[in-house]
Amino acid sequence: MKFHLDEKIWLIVSFGMIIGFMLFTGYQTFVLGMGPPSHMETIDPQKVDETAPFDQPGVKQIGENEYEVVMTLEIFRFNPNNIEIPAGSTVHFTMTSKDVVHGFQVAGTNLNAMVTPGHIQKISQTFNQTGEYLVVCNEFCGVGHQHMATTITVK
Ligand code: CUA
């Protein structure tokens, strides 16, 4: 088989790019530790109400300026809702869904998570700015989806 020079150049360039991307991805994963999480917490979605910590949803102070919010999502509400925390608090959200896939998006922050039944979702945020933050479900979850909202008040 005979290759033209152009074909050879193209083959070298394209294989070089593939090797380059693989090396870069390997570098990110193994050297920078940017691989996707391999550990996933699961829960029986039928037994959320009986399973700790979701048997006691609510806001709990766990340190100075540090709070844990254990939250369940279901059609079409967040429990607890209308959360209040002092400014400067770091809040660790631990969430799960009792029925279908919901979203947890907090306007004005980078908080945006998918909350799926059977899985435990964890996400943290520090709230420095006072005000009322709108929390919305951003995954279509049924006829009441557009009414699924609450607030986080930082004061
Ligand atoms: Cu819950 Cu949309």
Side-chain angles (χ1 to χ4, degrees):
M1 197 153 65
K2 195 172 175 297
F3 285 107
H4 287 286
L5 181 63
D6 287 353
E7 284 179 310
K8 278 184 190 157
I9 291 169
W10 172 240
L11 280 171
I12 289 165
V13 168
S14 53
F15 276 107
M17 283 168 71
I18 291 168
I19 304 275
F21 286 133
M22 285 168 77
L23 287 174
F24 183 65
T25 306
Y27 174 74
Q28 283 185 314
T29 304
F30 297 110
V31 180
L32 302 180
M34 285 167 65
S38 57
H39 170 71
M40 182 170 64
E41 288 180 70
T42 56
I43 184 172
D44 183 343
Q46 312 285 344
K47 294 186 180 144
V48 170
D49 286 332
E50 298 109 77
T51 310
F54 299 103
D55 53 344
Q56 287 179 314
V59 185
K60 211 169 45 181
Q61 185 162 12
I62 55 169
E64 203 187 337
N65 297 325
E66 211 166 355
Y67 291 81
E68 185 187 25
V69 173
V70 174
M71 183 181 269
T72 57
L73 287 76
E74 63 190 293
I75 49 170
F76 299 99
R77 62 194 205 98
F78 298 89
N79 181 25
N81 66 6
N82 301 326
I83 293 166
E84 283 186 16
I85 45 149
S89 305
T90 299
V91 183
H92 306 283
F93 295 92
T94 302
M95 302 178 286
T96 195
S97 167
K98 289 165 74 172
D99 38 45
V100 297
V101 176
H102 297 283
F104 177 82
Q105 182 171 10
V106 184
T109 72
N110 283 333
L111 285 174
N112 186 353
M114 207 180 195
V115 182
T116 56
H119 295 130
I120 297 172
Q121 178 67 274
K122 289 183 174 175
I123 191 167
S124 298
Q125 174 77 27
T126 302
F127 293 89
N128 290 319
Q129 202 78 30
T130 57
E132 194 176 86
Y133 293 75
L134 177 68
V135 181
V136 293
C137 173
N138 60 5
E139 294 287 335
F140 182 75
C141 53
V143 287
H145 161 71
Q146 69 273 22
H147 300 300
M148 187 166 167
T150 185
T151 57
I152 296 172
T153 306
V154 180
K155 47 185 194 181

